[in-house]
Amino acid sequence: MEQAGSLSARGSTGSAAPDIRTASVRVPAQARAADVERERGVASDESRSASGARGEHTHSEPPIPHPRVETARPVETARPVETARPVVQRASVRGQILDALRTALVGGELAPGQVYSAPVLGERFGVSATPVREAMQQLALEGAVEVVPNRGFRVVRRGTRELAELAEIRALLEVPVVLRLARTVPAARWAELRPLAEAAARAASAGCRATYAECDRAFHHAMLALAGNDQLVQIADDLHRRAQWPLVGGPVPRGRADLMADAAEHLALLDALTAQDLPAVQSLVREHFADN
């Protein structure tokens, strides 16, 4: 009791302190610990909800990454290097390499009997070995090369007999078709083929066998296409390419004079077809295949 009296005396301002046991002092109710925690939880939820609406985050949570919007970075999307560079398709590269290899075969750059590896040819053309290997496999299907395991592809050796057989097959296919077309196709349609014949004549005058072979193939392709038989055109194209490959032990490849004579037959044949001179057409077309 004595200790309580001293505490009351120290808390006074000079007047008699009321006895805490009897005084009617009303003390505000104190919040319990559970209530405080509950109120804090509600406030925290409301804060998080509000901040979520603003796209922000609290310090107690890791930040939520915002979605990346490309349109907000015009410098990145407007760079000419990113948009102007053409996308090279794999099939396109393979087709270009295939055309280049066919040209090299006709021109004699790929010699019969020699073995060529895809990596070496790829380095020559500035591409990887994959499109070269795919192109060489296509040439193997066509009979131009054969696969040599662990080494590459060997250019097939061909003789004069095979060339004569190809010429015979081409004549059996194309001569009857041209004679039939001579009776049905109007002169205006034949005139559309003259630019192709003239292009072949220019290539022959230049003495380039590879260029002439392609012009010659384009002329025969367009002429046979008038028949409307896609399978015929495809087979004739294949036979024409095989007939252009170099020979081993055969005659010397045709020179500039031979190419010019062959190109002149194209122009003479067009003149006869335009005039619907059937005897001249028959004579010219048979002679043309006999010379090839």
Side-chain angles (χ1 to χ4, degrees):
M1 297 300 296
E2 183 177 348
Q3 182 179 4
S6 64
L7 290 172
S8 177
R10 285 195 296 268
S12 67
T13 57
S15 59
D19 190 347
I20 60 174
R21 293 174 300 176
T22 59
S24 56
V25 179
R26 302 184 63 181
V27 180
Q30 301 294 317
R32 291 178 299 175
D35 296 334
V36 173
E37 293 297 330
R38 188 181 301 109
E39 291 178 359
R40 289 178 178 176
V42 172
S44 177
D45 291 341
E46 293 177 353
S47 175
R48 283 195 297 268
S49 177
S51 64
R54 295 191 303 269
E56 301 172 351
H57 62 84
T58 60
H59 293 286
S60 60
E61 298 179 352
I64 301 176
H66 297 282
R68 187 176 179 182
V69 181
E70 296 295 338
T71 55
R73 303 177 63 184
V75 176
E76 293 291 333
T77 58
R79 288 185 298 178
V81 176
E82 297 290 340
T83 58
R85 179 178 300 175
V87 178
V88 179
Q89 300 295 330
R90 185 172 182 175
S92 176
V93 174
R94 180 180 56 195
Q96 294 175 21
I97 297 300
L98 182 58
D99 291 341
L101 290 174
R102 283 172 173 162
T103 300
L105 279 170
V106 175
E109 298 177 38
L110 299 180
Q114 295 296 320
V115 178
Y116 299 91
S117 67
V120 172
L121 291 175
E123 184 177 354
R124 170 183 173 182
F125 292 119
V127 298
S128 66
T130 299
V132 176
R133 189 175 293 108
E134 293 173 348
M136 294 295 278
Q137 289 172 349
Q138 176 61 35
L139 290 177
L141 293 176
E142 298 175 1
V145 300
E146 57 186 6
V147 179
V148 181
N150 302 323
R151 293 186 60 191
F153 301 85
R154 178 186 289 113
V155 179
V156 174
R157 296 176 179 269
R158 300 170 56 248
T160 56
R161 178 175 179 178
E162 183 177 352
L163 181 61
E165 292 173 348
L166 290 172
E168 181 180 2
I169 297 174
R170 290 186 63 198
L172 291 173
L173 287 176
E174 297 192 35
V175 170
V177 174
V178 174
L179 293 177
R180 176 166 56 86
L181 293 175
R183 298 180 177 92
T184 57
V185 175
R189 296 298 302 275
W190 294 118
E192 296 174 358
L193 273 61
R194 187 163 293 276
L196 297 176
E198 293 173 348
R202 289 192 297 270
S205 179
C208 180
R209 285 183 294 153
T211 304
Y212 178 77
E214 185 59 28
C215 292
D216 183 47
R217 186 199 63 81
F219 174 78
H220 283 267
H221 179 103
M223 183 169 56
L224 294 177
L226 296 175
N229 189 328
D230 293 338
Q231 298 301 318
L232 169 66
V233 173
Q234 183 177 352
I235 294 173
D237 273 352
D238 179 64
L239 293 172
H240 186 279
R241 286 196 178 97
R242 295 173 62 184
Q244 303 299 322
W245 298 335
L247 302 179
V248 174
V252 178
R254 293 187 299 173
R256 178 172 175 271
D258 294 328
L259 297 179
M260 292 182 65
D262 192 69
E265 292 178 359
H266 292 164
L267 294 170
L269 178 60
L270 280 181
D271 291 337
L273 289 168
T274 302
Q276 293 186 337
D277 187 348
L278 298 183
V281 170
Q282 184 173 1
S283 176
L284 287 168
V285 74
R286 292 185 184 280
E287 182 180 355
H288 183 69
F289 284 104
D291 293 341
N292 284 274

